[in-house]
Amino acid sequence: MNEGLTNNTDFEAIYENYKQQGELQAVQELTESAASDGLESIVAVRKNEDGDIIAVKTSSGRELDYVSALNEAKSGNLAHVDVFHRYGRDILRSEPDGIKSNNLDQLPPF
């Protein structure tokens, strides 16, 4: 028998720890990257009654309406966001980086 094998729960715990450590490292790397690039990042959002993001707050404290945030992102002035075209309009979204806590929908309100 393979006495060196751990049970399935240990595998899951080890993997969850691995994912958490990776997410912490990714957040740190993104923060350092934005700071070194001199770019602002989005740190908070304002939503309407339907839950749609209507404004954002940047790391420098600027409050931008959604259209202004789109234009800033298109110009490359906002870190870690992408603009894509869907539903006949441009849409702002977080760069896919595997970090749920920095997704625009997950950011704190302002």
Side-chain angles (χ1 to χ4, degrees):
M1 301 209 87
N2 293 336
E3 294 179 19
L5 293 179
T6 57
N7 67 36
N8 199 29
T9 303
D10 291 340
F11 289 141
E12 290 177 20
I14 290 167
Y15 183 72
E16 285 303 314
N17 185 44
Y18 162 77
K19 284 189 351 184
Q20 289 173 356
Q21 292 300 317
E23 185 166 325
L24 291 173
Q25 181 66 31
V27 168
Q28 181 179 356
E29 289 171 2
L30 288 173
T31 302
E32 291 170 359
S33 171
S36 67
D37 291 345
L39 297 176
E40 295 176 272
S41 57
I42 296 173
V43 297
V45 296
R46 180 164 295 155
K47 297 180 181 182
N48 64 13
E49 292 175 358
D50 295 328
D52 300 318
I53 296 172
I54 59 170
V56 302
K57 186 173 189 175
T58 69
S59 53
S60 70
R62 292 192 307 146
E63 296 179 3
L64 304 171
D65 63 77
Y66 192 81
V67 174
S68 296
L70 278 170
N71 290 331
E72 292 272 343
K74 287 179 193 177
S75 297
N77 297 328
L78 293 176
H80 313 301
V81 291
D82 293 324
V83 176
F84 69 103
H85 194 78
R86 186 174 288 167
Y87 315 118
R89 58 192 165 102
D90 288 333
I91 297 173
L92 187 66
R93 73 172 198 172
S94 303
E95 286 181 344
D97 57 12
I99 304 169
K100 292 180 183 176
S101 63
N102 72 356
N103 290 349
L104 295 179
D105 268 347
Q106 301 298 313
L107 293 177
F110 73 97

